[in-house]
Every structure is written in structure tokens, then in C-alpha cells.
Amino acid sequence: MIIKIFESIWHVFDILCFLIAIALSVCGFFMLNFIAGIFSLAVAFVLFGLLAELIASIKQSK
């Protein structure tokens, strides 16, 4: 029971850290240059989409 709770907390923490890292890198690229910020935003949206598909496929397999 405790292991299941820890696993669910770990998954949420992992996704949260991923989202914060992407947001900070996009912010850093915007500070560097506007064009670099736009390209990093596009890459971030692609990564968010892949993450959403991965989460959906994991939930369907359970």
C-alpha cells in the first residue's frame, strides 16, 4: 500500500520536475534571444505533446 502511494507521488513529482525544467529552459532562451525563444517554445510544445501521449498510453495499458 505504501509502495503504491510512493509510486504515484514519484510519477507526479517526475512530471512536475520535467515541466519546470522545460519552462525554465524556454525562459532562458527568451532571455538569450527572441528567435531562440520561439524555437525553444516549439520544441517544448512537441515535448509536452509526447509526454501527454506517453501518459495516455500508460493509463490505457493499466
Side-chain angles (χ1 to χ4, degrees):
M1 166 112 175
I2 293 177
I3 293 175
K4 293 280 186 182
I5 294 171
F6 181 72
E7 285 177 358
S8 64
I9 290 172
W10 185 256
H11 286 298
V12 170
F13 180 72
D14 189 34
I15 293 170
L16 188 64
C17 286
F18 177 76
L19 295 177
I20 290 171
I22 292 291
L24 288 176
S25 67
V26 168
C27 182
F29 275 109
F30 268 111
M31 287 179 168
L32 198 80
N33 187 354
F34 182 73
I35 301 296
I38 295 295
F39 280 118
S40 69
L41 200 57
V43 171
F45 284 137
V46 168
L47 289 175
F48 286 149
L50 290 174
L51 181 66
E53 290 293 324
L54 179 67
I55 290 171
S57 68
I58 289 173
K59 291 203 179 220
Q60 285 180 353
S61 67
K62 285 187 177 181

